[in-house]
Amino acid sequence: MTIADRYPVLHTPARWEWGGLDVRFSTDLPPDELVTNVHVICFVGDRIVLCRDDRDVWLLPGGTREEAESVHDCVVRELYEEAGAELAGPIHWIGAHYATTDRPLPYRPWQPHPHKAWLWSTADVVLTGAPTNPDDAEQILEVRAFPAAEAVRISASDGPHLPELLTLAMELHHGR
């Protein structure tokens, strides 16, 4: 049985209306020049970190890459901004959502257009402080490390594919 067979919702093509995006998940990693966003399934021991924003959505830390920013530097910055977290081990890349937008212009001028990718990873982290909540980012109200089963359930508030993504992340992260 393939990963796609085991995680059918994650692998079903989807439409993310908020960005005018048609997306499809793959465990094949994208070339660096396509990566516009990075997100991290953060582990504190066996717990998974989720961040609650001002819409009352529980989300994974991550976000948009800045101009000329490396993927690694984006991960470090986003963990600090959204979760008040620091890496406590290596980043492990697990897959990406490949996206094509129907918007006439890229979200940021330096981003690839119309094709792009959201890169997903896992990492062990330490929660070291409060999120910094930059003005141009999601406003995070709460950061918590949940037991895995609860994190999987709660993650659905940010999209139907996330419970399967977290389950895949746990499988791959704990198998290392």
Side-chain angles (χ1 to χ4, degrees):
M1 181 177 271
T2 69
I3 288 178
D5 292 332
R6 292 189 356 251
Y7 300 106
V9 174
L10 178 60
H11 285 84
T12 298
R15 175 79 177 168
W16 293 349
E17 285 298 339
W18 54 264
L21 297 162
D22 292 311
V23 301
R24 183 173 195 118
F25 181 81
S26 174
T27 55
D28 294 330
L29 299 180
D32 184 80
E33 64 271 11
L34 277 186
V35 177
T36 60
N37 295 69
V38 296
H39 293 274
V40 184
I41 296 98
C42 298
F43 290 88
V44 176
D46 288 335
R47 293 176 167 260
I48 297 174
V49 175
L50 295 175
C51 306
R52 185 173 62 85
D53 70 10
D54 57 0
R55 302 167 299 156
D56 206 30
V57 171
W58 287 97
L59 52 91
L60 294 165
T64 304
R65 213 171 151 183
E66 298 296 337
E67 186 172 17
E69 184 176 45
S70 73
V71 169
H72 183 272
D73 288 348
C74 183
V75 166
V76 170
R77 179 180 53 77
E78 289 290 348
L79 287 176
Y80 178 72
E81 289 179 358
E82 290 195 355
E86 295 178 13
L87 290 170
I91 302 165
H92 300 283
W93 307 108
I94 63 170
H97 272 94
Y98 288 81
T100 302
T101 184
D102 57 17
R103 300 269 167 91
L105 298 171
Y107 175 65
R108 301 273 169 89
W110 59 85
Q111 291 183 333
H113 187 77
H115 306 291
K116 55 191 81 200
W118 269 253
L119 189 56
W120 297 99
S121 65
T122 66
D124 291 309
V125 302
V126 176
L127 298 176
T128 58
T132 61
N133 285 326
D135 290 339
D136 65 342
E138 294 90 356
Q139 296 304 295
I140 303 301
L141 305 177
E142 181 179 3
V143 176
R144 289 180 49 196
F146 289 95
E150 189 175 357
V152 167
R153 182 181 58 77
I154 291 170
S155 71
S157 71
D158 196 29
H161 62 287
L162 286 167
E164 287 189 357
L165 181 65
L166 265 64
T167 303
L168 173 62
M170 288 185 298
E171 174 185 324
L172 296 174
H173 190 74
H174 295 302
R176 293 195 185 341

